[in-house]
Amino acid sequence: MRVPRRSAALAIAVLLGATPWLGGCLFSPRDPDGPPQGDQTNWETPVSTAIVLSNMKAALGDESQANYRDCFTEDFRFHVDPADSLLAGEEADIRYANWTREDEEQAAGNIFAASVGVDLSLTSIIGPDESGDDTYREDDYELRVTFELAPGIESDVLYKGRAVLYLRRESGRWAIYRWADQRTVEPEQNETWGVLRGEYRE
Amino acid sequence: MRKPIRRRARSEWLVPLALLLALLLLAAPATRLRADDGDGEGSEEVGEQDASDSEGTGDDGFPEDDGASGEDGEEGQDGEEEEGEIIETAWDGVVRPDGPPPEGRPVNLAATGIVPKKTSFLGLHPTYRLTHTRDKDVMGWNHAFNLSRPVTGRIDFTASSAINVTENEVLSRVNRTENWNAGLNVNVSRAVGMGIKFNRNVQRDVRNENKPNEVKSFREKESVSLSSNYRKTHLSGIDVSAGISAGLEKNEYADVKNTGLTQGVQGAIQYEPLPTFKTAVSYNGGHSLLDSKQGALESSDESSDHSLSGRAEYDWSTHSFAVDLRRHSSSKEYPKEQQTERRDQTDRDATVRADFRFLSNITANLSYAYSSSRTSYALESTRDSDMANRAVDASLGYTLGGTRYTAELKSEKKRNDYFNFQSGNVDHQSLGGSISHDFTDRFGVVVRGRMSLLSYQYDDIDENDQDRDLFDREGTLNLTYRSKGGIETGLLLRLKQNELIYIRRSRTGDNKTTQKYTVQPSITKAFGGGVKVTQKYELAADYTFYDYDRDSNFLIRDIVVSTGVSWNPVPQLMLSVDHRHRSQDEGSYVEDESGVERYGKNSEREDKSVGITVKYKLLNAIDIEASQSYSLQTKWRFDEGEREFAWEKFDTRLTGKASMKYDVDKATKLELSIARTLRDATNVTERQKDVWKITGKINKAF
């Protein structure tokens, strides 16, 4: 029996639409080891820009790379302070150029690996206008990273600066799509988070 | 610690030599042109410019007519980018919160589309562009000057400069970037060319200028190089090119100063034995020896760079095949904290690609790519890395009648070695497909499906518990219908699911699945008299389910209605009114006593905005725009089912803008734009209440 071309196309379309939900057969994500041993999640659905920042703070504290990644959009770009870029000299390119979400995630992972604790505190300088789907805000940050110099010997390093954040709302969730770092104190006092990122990019 | 190698570059003699060569090159044309006249066999014009062609034909790079193309200017810009090695990793020293986000790189003037007509002035072809931007806090100047001078048919001189200055009063910060280029090129024969180039880049960032707490950051680079190149196409289908260059380089940044010599070698062979078979091999090499000084450190830093690449292309019937191979290795020494750092890097890339076309309606593409990159540091060995990447990409397209089918499969496997517990594998697979069909001229359907799995697998699971899978799936259905009455309608249905699966038990508390359901109908109706009405709706439900923390399950619901009316009574006048209403609520989505998941609203929010815009073109030259907008956001919280007012924010803006483009004469173009925004809003700062923005551009071709 000849199947009408239009019906065949419709059948294929339905099959195609359903394919992602049959995808477990093709792509099999791994099973987790089991229920958590530690704390429950500190992630909140980011329905406001303030929650994005609190999620970021929690992800840094919990050393959760996936939750940290979810604070940023796919097209995220980070721009270091121009003075930090100039001071990096020959290494400016490899440290800071074309910084994407993958770099952000990688740097966070490397910082987690090199430290024993990360604590972020933020002070709002300019608040966001969240009436649209695109906004910005300015926040001063203090990022305290605890490094273990030797077994039992820890040292805190404080990174200070200002984050000018551009955020976008997609499907009700806010995420950062651009971060411009600004130096607020001199390098002799405190480096910026941008410098820390550059040191742990690779 | 590495001891610096003390070798001094004897560079002093090169400066007079360069000047001497420049003079020789200027004097050379009269004696060298005839010597090559008989050497025309099989050669093609390669960079050859006959003196008789130098004006007005376009062959010399200057367009004859109004020059809408402006290629020459663009080439100048490109050249500057190649020369300009100051790396733009930051915005131009200034961040403007009041405006749209600035681009990450300086504005490419050639990309502005404003390229004035090129004219000749005493044989020179100078153009000058000036751009001034100012608002309440930030002032920016941009100067760009280009000069071209065909000295004879075989010699041309080019020079360009680009200066960007940005001053931010609020941050008390000045950022200045300068780029200067000059070059003299000589076509010694049809196949041989020589040239001398000068380049200077300066970037400065100054905070608190002329104050006791002034801080300066800067970087300067100067280079001059002599080059010679050869290129010839033989009758046998072999195209050979080769070149050498040598020069001087001087750098200064932070507390580092260095000067020294640079050398470069290039060579390429292209061979086309058959019209359907092409091959190419090329090599680029560079070497530099710089005497560096940083504090007590005095060293000679040697750097080298080698790049070898090959390509083969073969066309068989309607199919084509290509193979690309590349190997790049570099070694760079530079001062770092008064020691000599050395970075060695080796990259290898190989790509095999096949493009098939079966019949006229089936296409298929298949490619395999392998790349590896190994980087090591002498001082900071903790930054060493060794990466390898393998990727397969396959796609299929099929058209049958009015239906188009596509399918795409990607698989990528990365191996990342950091020589610590961050080492591991990253696998990424994705599969996608679409079907589009036009049932009639008025009714069309597109169905898309896609899924991907991103998997992070670390070697040392005892030290690194970040093993995770991200599993994404998405399906969309898009319907469009246009009625006979001119009503355009659309309907988009989207289902999207993302799963985050941490593998280790220390992390599984974060495991979650988000599901988003979206419906977006839209309707547009054009009436007579230039009136157009558009209405768009969006209904969305966004669920978050936690695998092991079900009390945290969450739901966001969104309803957005956007309405726009525009009216073009006459071509010069446009009025529009836009209204947007968003209602959003969110809350827990957890099981009740009976085990059924129920929605418990935590908060509700309403955003309303209305805007009116009038645009008018005055005297066919000045664009005038006035707009006013008002938005109100209100939030309520729910406490045991009772709605309580939480907060309310408003934002109102009145903006006036006038802009014009004016051709003063054929060679001079002027652009001016003035805008002022008065704003009042909840929590607005004083400097955001009254914002001016003025932009002026002058383009002058002499």
Side-chain angles (χ1 to χ4, degrees):
Chain A
M1 189 183 77
R2 182 181 167 83
V3 179
R5 186 182 295 173
R6 199 170 286 182
S7 302
L10 188 64
I12 294 172
V14 170
L15 187 65
L16 181 70
T19 297
W21 274 260
L22 304 171
C25 309
L26 297 170
F27 298 156
S28 299
R30 289 170 290 172
D31 291 325
D33 289 347
Q37 290 171 320
D39 297 334
Q40 301 295 308
T41 187
N42 279 321
W43 175 265
E44 273 187 81
T45 305
V47 292
S48 70
T49 62
I51 296 178
V52 175
L53 300 190
S54 67
N55 279 339
M56 185 164 66
K57 179 178 160 63
L60 289 167
D62 296 343
E63 299 190 348
S64 173
Q65 265 182 268
N67 285 351
Y68 186 75
R69 172 195 170 99
D70 283 349
C71 298
F72 305 93
T73 63
E74 267 186 39
D75 59 346
F76 171 72
R77 288 289 182 275
F78 170 76
H79 301 275
V80 73
D81 184 279
D84 290 335
S85 176
L86 290 169
L87 285 170
E90 290 292 339
E91 291 188 349
D93 192 9
I94 55 170
R95 279 172 181 255
Y96 305 121
N98 305 318
W99 191 283
T100 64
R101 181 167 77 164
E102 281 63 43
D103 293 307
E104 187 70 25
E105 187 185 6
Q106 179 67 36
N110 289 338
I111 292 166
F112 295 155
S115 65
V116 293
V118 183
D119 182 50
L120 173 67
S121 64
L122 296 159
T123 306
S124 178
I125 302 300
I126 294 180
D129 170 16
E130 296 178 7
S131 58
D133 290 332
D134 199 310
T135 190
Y136 71 88
R137 55 182 297 153
E138 287 186 28
D139 294 85
D140 277 351
Y141 61 78
E142 288 191 4
L143 185 75
R144 189 176 300 276
V145 183
T146 307
F147 295 98
E148 192 174 46
L149 304 178
I153 304 172
E154 295 180 352
S155 170
D156 282 358
V157 181
L158 186 63
Y159 298 88
K160 277 185 173 182
R162 180 169 298 172
V164 179
L165 304 172
Y166 291 84
L167 299 101
R168 190 188 302 135
R169 174 162 50 188
E170 288 172 359
S171 302
R173 294 161 183 262
W174 287 95
I176 301 164
Y177 69 89
R178 192 162 284 190
W179 178 318
D181 213 37
Q182 281 182 13
R183 179 168 282 292
T184 51
V185 296
E186 296 316 310
E188 297 77 30
Q189 297 169 275
N190 297 98
E191 292 285 12
T192 61
W193 191 349
V195 171
L196 178 71
R197 280 180 167 95
E199 284 175 2
Y200 287 95
R201 185 181 195 176
E202 42 175 39
Chain B
M1 197 190 93
R2 278 174 59 84
K3 288 200 171 182
I5 306 161
R6 295 185 60 82
R7 277 176 292 182
R8 288 206 56 83
R10 305 277 180 199
S11 57
E12 295 81 357
W13 57 271
L14 267 179
V15 177
L17 181 64
L19 292 171
L20 182 63
L21 182 63
L23 288 171
L24 282 173
L25 291 173
L26 280 171
T31 56
R32 57 154 177 69
L33 290 181
R34 301 281 76 80
D36 189 53
D37 283 349
D39 190 28
E41 187 188 25
S43 66
E44 294 178 359
E45 287 194 7
V46 181
E48 173 86 2
Q49 292 172 355
D50 199 282
S52 62
D53 287 338
S54 64
E55 288 292 330
T57 64
D59 289 345
D60 57 350
F62 299 111
E64 189 175 26
D65 58 12
D66 255 352
S69 63
E71 284 96 355
D72 193 57
E74 290 180 10
E75 283 168 12
Q77 291 295 326
D78 290 346
E80 286 165 20
E81 286 199 0
E82 284 171 15
E83 296 288 336
E85 291 188 14
I86 288 181
I87 298 142
E88 295 293 342
T89 50
W91 287 343
D92 303 329
V94 181
V95 176
R96 286 295 304 134
D98 297 324
E103 295 304 318
R105 283 188 164 272
V107 175
N108 181 349
L109 289 173
T112 60
I114 303 158
V115 181
K117 178 184 176 181
K118 294 209 166 57
T119 55
S120 175
F121 177 73
L122 299 176
L124 302 171
H125 296 267
T127 61
Y128 176 66
R129 295 169 192 161
L130 172 66
T131 304
H132 176 61
T133 307
R134 169 157 199 113
D135 66 18
K136 196 175 176 187
D137 306 326
V138 180
M139 181 174 68
W141 288 96
N142 180 297
H143 307 264
F145 180 73
N146 282 283
L147 173 71
S148 300
R149 171 74 163 98
V151 181
T152 73
R154 297 197 177 209
I155 299 178
D156 66 85
F157 172 75
T158 58
S160 66
S161 69
I163 300 171
N164 273 293
V165 182
T166 312
E167 293 178 26
N168 187 318
E169 288 177 18
V170 175
L171 300 175
S172 188
R173 196 161 189 175
V174 181
N175 193 270
R176 184 180 178 92
T177 305
E178 296 175 22
N179 193 314
W180 303 83
N181 288 292
L184 188 70
N185 294 306
V186 181
N187 293 311
V188 180
S189 72
R190 287 177 184 273
V192 178
M194 298 181 78
I196 181 167
K197 262 195 292 193
F198 168 78
N199 177 252
R200 175 179 158 82
N201 289 310
V202 182
Q203 189 172 358
R204 283 198 181 86
D205 179 71
V206 184
R207 282 162 288 160
N208 308 312
E209 194 168 29
N210 300 322
K211 293 178 185 168
N213 56 344
E214 179 184 275
V215 182
K216 285 183 184 174
S217 308
F218 71 100
R219 184 174 183 186
E220 290 185 20
K221 177 177 181 175
E222 288 177 17
S223 65
V224 59
S225 68
L226 303 170
S227 64
S228 177
N229 60 74
Y230 167 85
R231 183 173 177 183
K232 189 164 182 177
T233 301
H234 297 265
L235 282 176
S236 54
I238 300 176
D239 190 341
V240 180
S241 63
I244 55 168
S245 62
L248 300 167
E249 186 177 307
K250 180 184 170 191
N251 292 288
E252 192 170 350
Y253 58 89
D255 56 346
V256 175
K257 288 183 183 177
N258 59 35
T259 54
L261 301 174
T262 60
Q263 300 91 33
V265 180
Q266 303 90 39
I269 299 175
Q270 291 181 39
Y271 180 45
E272 194 174 328
L274 298 168
T276 56
F277 185 49
K278 298 173 190 170
T279 59
V281 178
S282 67
Y283 168 79
N284 280 286
H287 176 264
S288 70
L289 189 59
L290 305 177
D291 286 347
S292 300
K293 188 173 181 186
Q294 183 185 38
L297 172 74
E298 287 190 20
S299 64
S300 284
D301 299 328
E302 187 170 13
S303 300
S304 61
D305 186 89
H306 307 278
S307 181
L308 180 65
S309 62
R311 180 177 175 82
E313 293 175 23
Y314 179 59
D315 294 336
W316 176 61
S317 182
T318 55
H319 316 304
S320 63
F321 306 88
V323 177
D324 285 284
L325 300 167
R326 189 179 79 94
R327 183 190 162 90
H328 173 257
S329 66
S330 66
S331 173
K332 188 167 186 64
E333 290 182 335
Y334 52 92
K336 185 172 184 182
E337 294 170 2
Q338 302 196 31
Q339 298 181 74
T340 299
E341 176 65 289
R342 178 188 174 97
R343 184 174 75 238
D344 293 305
Q345 188 167 347
T346 305
D347 302 320
R348 294 183 184 89
D349 301 283
T351 306
V352 181
R353 183 177 175 82
D355 297 324
F356 302 99
R357 175 176 283 275
F358 304 103
L359 306 176
S360 60
N361 58 348
I362 303 176
T363 57
N365 309 102
L366 187 64
S367 72
Y368 171 79
Y370 169 82
S371 65
S372 70
S373 177
R374 186 182 178 90
T375 309
S376 64
Y377 292 84
L379 296 177
E380 280 189 289
S381 58
T382 53
R383 297 172 68 187
D384 291 357
S385 62
D386 190 0
M387 318 279 205
N389 188 18
R390 293 171 180 81
V392 176
D393 195 338
S395 64
L396 182 69
Y398 176 49
T399 305
L400 181 64
T403 309
R404 171 80 180 158
Y405 305 85
T406 66
E408 191 176 62
L409 173 70
K410 289 183 180 178
S411 177
E412 189 177 11
K413 290 183 180 296
K414 284 184 187 173
R415 171 67 198 166
N416 300 332
D417 259 322
Y418 297 105
F419 309 105
N420 59 26
F421 54 81
Q422 283 288 90
S423 297
N425 299 321
V426 181
D427 294 348
H428 191 196
Q429 279 104 37
S430 68
L431 174 66
S434 71
I435 298 175
S436 57
H437 182 76
D438 292 329
F439 287 92
T440 68
D441 290 345
R442 302 177 183 281
F443 180 45
V445 178
V446 180
V447 181
R448 289 192 183 88
R450 189 188 69 83
M451 60 181 166
S452 71
L453 176 62
L454 179 61
S455 184
Y456 294 82
Q457 301 154 23
Y458 295 96
D459 297 347
D460 189 346
I461 59 172
D462 294 327
E463 290 292 332
N464 193 331
D465 61 358
Q466 302 273 354
D467 262 30
R468 61 196 182 275
D469 284 356
L470 303 170
F471 187 33
D472 298 341
R473 288 177 278 181
E474 183 176 352
T476 60
L477 169 68
N478 197 355
L479 307 171
T480 53
Y481 176 69
R482 186 163 44 85
S483 76
K484 286 182 180 175
I487 299 175
E488 292 178 20
T489 57
L491 176 65
L492 176 73
L493 304 172
R494 182 186 292 128
L495 286 75
K496 194 173 180 183
Q497 177 171 299
N498 302 330
E499 289 179 55
L500 164 63
I501 307 161
Y502 268 116
I503 308 302
R504 306 301 156 214
R505 293 187 68 183
S506 52
R507 293 264 160 224
T508 52
D510 280 329
N511 286 7
K512 61 180 181 272
T513 301
T514 60
Q515 291 174 350
K516 296 172 192 169
Y517 301 86
T518 309
V519 181
Q520 287 179 330
S522 65
I523 184 166
T524 302
K525 167 71 176 168
F527 298 92
V531 177
K532 193 174 176 182
V533 179
T534 303
Q535 194 155 50
K536 292 178 184 172
Y537 304 85
E538 181 180 330
L539 290 85
D542 182 332
Y543 297 86
T544 306
F545 299 102
Y546 292 89
D547 293 359
Y548 300 107
D549 191 4
R550 296 188 177 180
D551 289 343
S552 296
N553 290 356
F554 203 76
L555 171 62
I556 312 169
R557 299 189 304 186
D558 257 318
I559 299 175
V560 183
V561 182
S562 307
T563 308
V565 181
S566 64
W567 181 36
N568 273 92
V570 290
Q572 296 88 356
L573 179 64
M574 199 280 285
L575 293 98
S576 64
V577 179
D578 295 286
H579 178 266
R580 190 169 190 258
H581 181 274
R582 172 197 287 271
S583 176
Q584 179 179 306
D585 57 58
E586 63 247 0
S588 59
Y589 192 71
V590 297
E591 291 177 359
D592 61 11
E593 295 81 6
S594 57
V596 178
E597 286 168 328
R598 293 196 185 280
Y599 178 45
K601 197 185 286 185
N602 291 346
S603 66
E604 190 176 305
R605 186 169 152 162
E606 203 170 64
D607 301 340
K608 289 179 278 191
S609 66
V610 62
I612 182 165
T613 304
V614 180
K615 293 180 181 175
Y616 183 66
K617 196 167 189 77
L618 183 66
L619 303 174
N620 215 23
I622 302 172
D623 291 305
I624 296 173
E625 183 180 330
S627 62
Q628 185 169 16
S629 66
Y630 177 76
S631 69
L632 184 68
Q633 306 168 62
T634 314
K635 184 166 183 172
W636 297 269
R637 289 197 180 88
F638 284 79
D639 188 14
E640 296 182 350
E642 291 294 317
R643 191 165 95 154
E644 294 175 359
F645 172 80
W647 50 254
E648 191 167 76
K649 295 177 185 174
F650 78 98
D651 195 327
T652 181
R653 300 172 197 222
L654 178 63
T655 301
K657 182 181 176 184
S659 56
M660 58 167 284
K661 291 181 181 178
Y662 180 61
D663 293 351
V664 180
D665 53 47
K666 283 185 177 178
T668 309
K669 298 193 177 195
L670 181 67
E671 278 186 41
L672 189 64
S673 168
I674 301 172
R676 186 180 186 188
T677 299
L678 298 172
R679 185 181 172 201
D680 194 13
T682 312
N683 299 330
V684 71
T685 60
E686 274 306 309
R687 69 182 174 98
Q688 291 174 299
K689 284 186 174 176
D690 184 1
V691 178
W692 282 89
K693 183 160 189 176
I694 300 168
T695 305
K697 292 181 184 174
I698 298 171
N699 294 265
K700 174 72 179 170
F702 295 91

